[in-house]
């Protein structure tokens, strides 16, 4: 008998756990937990029975209570579980009432004889079985079998009531077998339900994707695994195989980047992706698509799930609006707002460019004479001519009415701009064929250059337009060039000044060093220090573009002082490194020279860096010297007293008199590049020779600046120049490159 009881206990335990685990995997099926609990509660019945039967007193009562409790709990859980299974769950109140009722009833029965208790329990169970059979009947075969098992379990309990203790083993064994049947049919019912549910879900999903307006694609590597109807229609293909073929025709770069993204998505490196782009339909028409993708678990492993929507209409509408906003309706050319946008971009790039502003003369009269349709046709013909003639050097724009612009982005060299306006004017000399008429037109032309004229879009537009209006004063096609003037581009200048002040604080100014060479023998004699401004977001700015502004604002005084110190510090570093050290010439602005304390400042600086005066020379421009000759003479004399030599820079541009040259205590003259450039032409060489002869009489050295060719070098040498400087020998060098040159020199000369 004990074996039969143990068998019964094991069956209840195993099935209870199996149902509970089923619930743990599929929590939407709450009835499995209740049914599992019912089986587990039944496990308690066996030990409780043994305790009740084999002991007396308290333990006996405890066993009795356990028997009643396990019976009541098991029945309650079974009823609750089955009601849940059939979709009519018990309320809390019903469950509590039923539980307490069962407990009381079973407890009371135990006080009767065991046979009577068993008989009543069997009747109760049979009743429950019949009720369950009714609930379960409509729900399927497994459910019916479960109901039937419950009825049989109830009936089986009568075995004990009829056969007494001796029949307990038999009842227990049959009971275990029946409970096994019950458990298995319940498990089967649960499994069938969950498979039905997931199949339903799948069908729903499939229905949704198949009927979605968005394209859906599942793919792995370059193999499409699934495509919905919307996707096939979008791409204009009939089947997945055709779509695959279409994909294989795509450009290699597109396929490679798609593959790369797909691998990143599948590996989990990229959780999701969103992008858009243009694709061609199988019939070749263009469409604008938006894509989203993520990873999906597909039949035999992970894949990429893409959702694709067609954005062509919205995109085209926006593009059309954008085109309308940025193009002239008559000519279809980019309009004023497009020009402003382009100017902003170009100014930000900080590369030189030119703006040619054109305005047709007497266009209103022409409109009145021939009518607006002809006027429009003329504008179109003129626009087309500009485009045909000047693309790609310039972009043609139509600013409205009779105003056009050419944006010359291929550099703002004056020579190129002159060439373009010359060609334009040559073309305007011939008539335009419009509506079977020959019409002559004139245009007034204004030219502005970035950054020469102005360094901001507004300044350029203003200056080009002002220049065009000046040209309008002249009859016929005429052109005017806007000049950079402090009045005109005041806002740009203001900005540059602010930037310069900040630059001084942030140490953005740096000296470069250009060698001067002995005309005879070619030895390195000295360097000239030239300033460069590393202006943030503008790159390297040359002195010609900021020294005039620095002089206008007086900023040149602190800047010049700083540069003098920088040059001296460099000399002192070279000396400290034990290099051969040659003199460095520093350019001095007239404003610095004007300051009476300048010579004393130079002396102090030399002292600070412990440098001999012979290592420093100063260059002042001829124009500055001429402007206030007396003062210049006085300062140069004081500098000479300190042992510092001064050279007259840019000689030949400032109209200095012979008398001035004679009276100034100078060491050298530097002949301006404009006089050297035309050499070796005979007349140019003759002028340089005359300067050299004059300098020899006045005991001045002569330096030729801007030597670019061997022929110029030879001519300058032959004319009698003592020193040569120019790109032929070297461009201005960074301090370290100049230091390297010094290191290559044979032996110390000075310092
Ligand atoms: P500059 O003192 O007459 O300097 C000579 C200019 O000619 C330099 O231009 C130099 O780079 C350039 N150059 C030298 N060899 C050749 C050549 O073979 N071909 C051509 N095309 N150019 C050559 P950079 O550095 O742009 O300086 C321009 C001017 O700015 C200088 O003329 C000078 O007047 C002024 N400047 C430069 N640095 C300073 C400075 O630190 N302080 C002051 N006050 N003015 C400076
Ligand atoms: Mg100079
Ligand atoms: Mg010069």
């Amino acid at each position: 008998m004990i074996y039969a009881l143990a068998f019964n206990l094991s069956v209840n335990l195993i099935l209870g756990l199996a149902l509970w685990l089923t619930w743990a995997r599929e929590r939407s099926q709450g009835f499995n937990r209740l049914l599992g609990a019912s089986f587990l509660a039944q496990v308690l019945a066996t030990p409780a029975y043994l305790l009740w039967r084999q002991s007396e007193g308290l333990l006996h009562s405890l066993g009795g209570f356990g028997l009643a409790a396990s019976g009541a709990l098991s029945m309650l859980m079974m009823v609750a579980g089955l009601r849940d299974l059939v979709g009519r769950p018990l309320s809390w109140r019903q469950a509590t009432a039923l539980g307490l009722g069962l407990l009381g009833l079973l407890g009371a029965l135990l006080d009767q004889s065991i046979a009577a208790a068993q008989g009543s329990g069997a009747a109760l169970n049979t009743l429950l079985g019949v009720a369950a059979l009714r609930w379960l009947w409509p729900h399927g075969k497994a459910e019916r079998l479960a109901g039937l098992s419950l009825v049989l379990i109830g009936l089986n309990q009568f075995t004990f009531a009829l056969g007494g203790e001796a029949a307990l083993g038999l009842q227990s064994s049959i009971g275990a077998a029946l409970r096994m049947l019950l458990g298995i049919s319940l498990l089967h019912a649960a499994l069938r339900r969950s498979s039905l549910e997931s199949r339903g879900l799948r069908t729903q999903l499939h229905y949704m994707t198949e009927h979605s307006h968005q394209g859906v694609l599942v793919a792995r590597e370059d193999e499409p695994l699934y495509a919905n109807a919307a996707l096939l229609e979008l791409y204009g293909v009939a089947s997945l195989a055709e779509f695959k073929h279409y994909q294989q025709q795509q450009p290699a770069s597109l396929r490679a980047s798609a593959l790369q993204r797909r691998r990143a998505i599948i590996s989990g490196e990229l959780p999701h992706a969103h992008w858009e782009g243009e694709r061609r339909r199988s019939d070749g028409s263009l469409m604008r698509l938006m894509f989203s993708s993520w990873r999906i678990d597909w039949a035999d492993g992970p894949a990429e799930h893409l959702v694709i929507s067609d954005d062509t209409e919205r995109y085209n509408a926006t593009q059309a609006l954008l085109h309308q906003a940025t193009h002239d309706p008559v000519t279809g050319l980019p309009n004023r707002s497009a020009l402003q946008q382009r100017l902003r971009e170009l100014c930000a790039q900080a590369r030189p460019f030119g703006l040619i502003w054109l305005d047709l003369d007497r266009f209103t009269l022409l409109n009145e004479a021939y009518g607006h349709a002809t006027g429009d046709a003329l504008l179109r013909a003129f626009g087309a001519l500009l485009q045909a003639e000047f693309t790609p050097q310039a972009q043609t724009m139509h600013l409205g009415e009779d105003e056009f612009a050419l944006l010359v982005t291929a550099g703002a060299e004056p020579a190129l701009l002159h060439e373009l306006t010359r060609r334009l004017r040559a073309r305007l000399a011939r008539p335009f064929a419009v509506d079977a008429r020959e019409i002559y037109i004139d245009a007034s032309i204004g030219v502005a250059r970035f950054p020469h004229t102005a360094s901001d879009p507004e300044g350029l537009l203003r200056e080009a337009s002002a220049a065009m209006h000046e040209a309008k004063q002249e009859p016929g096609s005429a052109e005017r060039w806007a000049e950079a003037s402090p009045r005109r581009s005041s806002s740009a200048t203001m900005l540059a000044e602010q930037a310069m002040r900040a630059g001084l604080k942030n140490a953005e100014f740096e000296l470069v060093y250009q060698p001067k060479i002995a005309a005879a023998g070619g030895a390195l004699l000295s360097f000239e220090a030239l300033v460069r401004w590393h202006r943030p977001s503008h790159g390297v700015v040359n002195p010609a573009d900021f020294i005039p502004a620095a002089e206008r604002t007086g900023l040149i005084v602190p800047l010049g002082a700083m540069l003098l110190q920088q040059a001296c510090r460099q000399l002192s570093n070279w000396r400290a490194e034990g290099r051969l050290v040659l003199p460095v010439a520093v350019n001095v602005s007239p404003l610095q020279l004007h300051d009476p304390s300048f010579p004393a400042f130079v002396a102090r600086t030399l002292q600070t860096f412990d440098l001999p005066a012979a290592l420093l020379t100063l260059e002042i421009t001829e124009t500055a010297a001429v402007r206030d000759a007396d003062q210049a003479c006085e300062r140069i004399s004081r500098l000479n007293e300190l042992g510092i030599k001064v050279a007259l820079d840019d000689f030949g541009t400032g109209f200095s008199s012979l008398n001035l040259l004679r009276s100034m205590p100078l060491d050298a003259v530097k002949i301006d590049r404009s006089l050297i450039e035309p050499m070796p032409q005979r007349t140019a060489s003759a002028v340089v020779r005359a300067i050299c002869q004059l300098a020899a009489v006045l005991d001045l050295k002569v330096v030729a600046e801007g030597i670019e060719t061997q022929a110029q070098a030879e001519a300058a040498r032959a004319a009698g120049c003592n020193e040569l400087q120019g790109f032929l020998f070297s461009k201005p060098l960074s301090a370290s490159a100049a230091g390297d040159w010094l290191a290559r020199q044979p032996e110390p000369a000075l310092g």
Side-chain angles (χ1 to χ4, degrees):
M1 183 196 67
I2 196 73
Y3 294 115
L5 287 177
F7 176 51
N8 195 304
L9 183 143
S10 316
V11 165
N12 281 318
L13 186 65
I14 290 168
L15 287 168
L17 286 176
L19 282 160
W20 197 286
L21 286 175
T22 313
W23 165 78
R25 279 218 48 115
E26 185 64 71
R27 291 192 179 231
S28 63
Q29 297 184 342
F31 53 83
N32 280 327
R33 180 165 57 150
L34 295 167
L35 296 170
S38 163
F39 276 84
L40 292 176
Q42 195 60 40
V43 169
L44 289 177
T46 310
Y49 170 74
L50 292 176
L51 205 62
W52 174 79
R53 205 191 59 158
Q54 279 160 16
S55 50
E56 286 176 357
L58 184 65
L59 284 179
H60 173 80
S61 308
L62 210 62
F65 176 74
L67 212 50
S70 84
L73 194 62
S74 170
M75 265 189 230
L76 173 66
M77 290 295 152
M78 183 59 68
V79 172
L82 293 176
R83 294 288 296 230
D84 211 32
L85 176 73
V86 299
R88 281 152 54 199
L90 288 186
S91 68
W92 268 110
R93 194 179 293 165
Q94 286 171 326
T96 322
L98 180 64
L100 291 176
L102 284 170
L103 192 62
L105 193 64
L106 291 177
L109 284 175
L110 274 177
D111 274 350
Q112 313 296 310
S113 78
I114 180 76
Q118 274 290 340
S120 314
L124 203 59
N125 264 324
T126 313
L127 263 176
L128 169 70
V130 172
L133 186 60
R134 261 192 55 210
W135 301 329
L136 291 170
W137 195 261
H139 291 275
K141 286 184 196 142
E143 284 84 348
R144 284 178 205 166
L145 191 58
L148 214 58
S149 314
L150 275 170
V151 177
L152 292 177
I153 287 170
L155 291 174
N156 176 48
Q157 277 186 307
F158 285 109
T159 320
F160 186 93
L162 299 175
E165 282 261 331
L168 182 63
L170 181 66
Q171 181 200 313
S172 201
S173 309
I174 297 176
L178 288 170
R179 292 194 78 84
M180 202 153 21
L181 189 63
L182 170 68
I184 287 170
S185 33
L186 287 174
L187 278 172
H188 186 272
L191 279 177
R192 209 192 60 233
R193 253 152 224 266
S194 75
S195 96
L196 272 179
E197 259 171 35
S198 69
R199 197 183 312 155
L201 221 62
R202 264 208 308 278
T203 324
Q204 266 172 359
L205 270 178
H206 185 73
Y207 184 85
M208 270 160 56
T209 25
E210 270 305 300
H211 290 82
S212 157
H213 290 296
Q214 290 179 316
V216 176
L217 175 71
V218 177
R220 185 181 302 132
E221 287 296 297
D222 52 7
E223 183 75 29
L225 304 172
Y226 166 80
N228 72 347
L231 184 119
L232 299 180
E233 194 186 319
L234 190 61
Y235 283 86
V237 292
S239 63
L240 189 63
E242 254 185 55
F243 179 70
K244 184 177 173 183
H245 179 70
Y246 158 87
Q247 280 202 320
Q248 283 163 352
Q249 310 300 310
Q250 295 304 301
S253 59
L254 191 68
R255 286 168 55 202
S257 74
L259 195 61
Q260 197 180 7
R261 182 208 58 248
R262 185 157 299 151
R263 285 179 180 159
I265 288 274
I266 290 180
S267 70
E269 190 185 317
L270 191 65
H272 41 73
H274 303 280
W275 68 103
E276 49 189 272
E278 263 169 12
R279 297 287 183 278
R280 284 200 182 276
R281 213 168 267 124
S282 63
D283 63 6
S285 57
L286 260 187
M287 51 186 175
R288 182 88 194 172
L289 300 182
M290 298 207 297
F291 302 81
S292 302
S293 84
W294 50 87
R295 183 186 140 118
I296 186 180
D297 283 321
W298 199 247
D300 48 352
E304 187 186 23
H305 182 185
L306 296 98
V307 172
I308 303 161
S309 35
D310 186 357
D311 195 37
T312 314
E313 268 179 36
R314 194 195 61 86
Y315 182 78
N316 286 348
T318 341
Q319 288 303 102
L321 273 179
L322 199 68
H323 190 269
Q324 224 173 49
T326 54
H327 287 76
D328 185 272
V330 177
T331 54
L333 289 168
N335 64 9
R336 187 186 295 265
S337 90
L339 172 66
Q340 280 166 335
Q341 174 61 27
R342 260 321 261 144
L343 286 178
R344 275 195 291 276
E345 288 165 13
L346 289 169
C347 287
Q349 285 168 10
R351 274 201 297 270
F353 65 89
L355 173 64
I356 302 178
W357 190 301
L358 303 154
D359 186 289
L360 303 186
D361 292 347
R362 296 182 310 284
F363 186 70
T364 326
L365 285 180
L366 205 134
N367 251 341
E368 282 167 8
Y370 296 113
H372 284 268
T374 307
D376 285 355
L378 179 67
L379 290 177
R380 276 192 289 272
F382 185 65
L385 164 96
L386 292 180
Q387 264 192 309
E389 189 78 12
F390 298 111
T391 314
Q393 286 146 312
Q395 192 184 359
T396 305
M397 305 196 156
H398 184 186
L399 311 184
E401 300 192 4
D402 55 354
E403 289 188 339
F404 288 82
L406 287 171
L407 200 51
V408 188
T409 46
E413 294 307 314
L416 171 68
L417 295 172
H418 273 301
E419 166 60 15
L420 296 184
T421 55
R422 189 197 59 72
R423 263 162 54 196
L424 181 65
R425 288 165 64 178
R427 175 61 189 85
L428 288 171
R430 286 181 281 126
F432 281 78
V434 176
D435 291 348
R437 284 198 187 89
E438 297 236 302
I439 302 179
Y440 283 90
I441 47 172
D442 284 319
S444 300
I445 302 168
V447 183
R449 289 188 290 146
F450 172 91
H452 175 84
T453 316
S455 55
D456 59 323
E458 291 74 27
L460 283 167
L461 287 172
R462 196 177 51 236
E463 296 309 316
S465 156
M468 182 275 291
H469 279 104
E470 272 176 35
K472 269 246 184 286
Q473 309 305 318
E474 269 188 50
S477 290
E479 82 184 61
R480 279 282 179 284
W481 285 51
E483 273 313 315
S485 82
R487 178 187 56 77
R488 280 184 174 173
S489 49
S490 53
S491 66
T493 314
M494 186 69 186
L495 287 179
E497 278 170 29
Q498 298 297 327
M500 238 186 308
R501 278 178 217 280
L504 200 57
K505 224 172 61 206
N506 302 336
E508 290 165 12
F509 295 93
E510 187 196 43
L511 287 173
V512 288
Y513 299 86
Q514 190 178 31
K516 292 185 216 170
I517 303 294
L524 173 65
L525 293 177
S526 60
F527 289 108
E528 179 181 6
L530 296 159
V531 65
R532 295 291 177 265
W533 180 14
H534 298 269
R535 186 175 173 187
S537 77
H538 280 69
V540 179
V541 187
N542 280 324
D545 296 324
F546 66 86
I547 292 279
E551 287 181 331
R552 238 182 358 257
T553 52
L555 214 63
I556 190 71
V557 176
L559 176 64
M562 190 276 283
L563 291 172
L564 185 77
Q565 286 167 334
Q566 203 180 99
C568 289
R569 183 174 304 116
Q570 188 57 60
L571 274 166
S572 142
N573 287 350
W574 281 332
R575 261 164 47 112
E577 285 162 20
R579 302 218 169 140
L580 155 78
V581 179
L582 296 175
V584 168
V586 174
N587 289 284
V588 173
S589 150
L591 224 62
Q592 286 173 277
L593 209 62
H594 184 68
D595 182 355
S597 65
F598 181 68
F601 170 74
V602 179
R604 262 204 322 279
T605 312
L606 285 173
Q607 234 169 24
T608 311
F609 292 97
D610 192 21
L611 292 174
L615 278 184
L616 185 70
T617 55
L618 300 178
E619 293 186 8
I620 60 167
T621 58
E622 186 186 28
T623 352
V626 173
R627 207 178 305 148
D628 196 345
D630 288 346
Q631 195 189 56
C633 269
E634 192 268 338
R635 296 288 137 75
I636 297 169
S637 308
R638 280 183 46 204
L639 288 164
N640 280 347
E641 282 163 22
L642 295 167
I644 297 161
K645 292 171 183 159
V646 177
L648 194 63
D649 206 351
D650 302 346
F651 185 76
T653 57
F655 311 105
S656 51
S657 66
L658 286 180
N659 192 33
L660 186 73
L661 262 194
R662 195 178 55 81
S663 61
M664 270 191 194
L666 295 163
D667 172 62
V669 287
K670 296 184 76 179
I671 303 180
D672 192 65
R673 192 159 59 98
S674 58
L675 298 183
I676 301 294
E677 199 179 38
M679 295 222 287
Q681 272 175 32
R682 205 173 48 80
T683 46
S685 300
V687 170
V688 173
R689 191 173 311 114
I691 295 175
C692 290
Q693 283 163 356
L694 177 68
V697 174
L698 295 173
D699 202 16
L700 295 171
K701 272 190 306 193
V702 178
V703 185
E705 283 191 321
I707 302 276
E708 292 183 347
T709 65
Q710 202 61 50
Q712 287 168 345
E714 267 152 34
R717 204 173 288 132
C721 296
N722 311 94
E723 296 180 14
L724 309 178
Q725 185 184 4
F727 294 168
L728 176 66
F729 308 103
S730 166
K731 292 213 164 184
L733 304 169
S734 67
S736 76
D740 291 346
W741 193 324
L742 280 178
R744 289 199 303 268
Q745 294 307 300
E747 61 187 42
L750 271 166

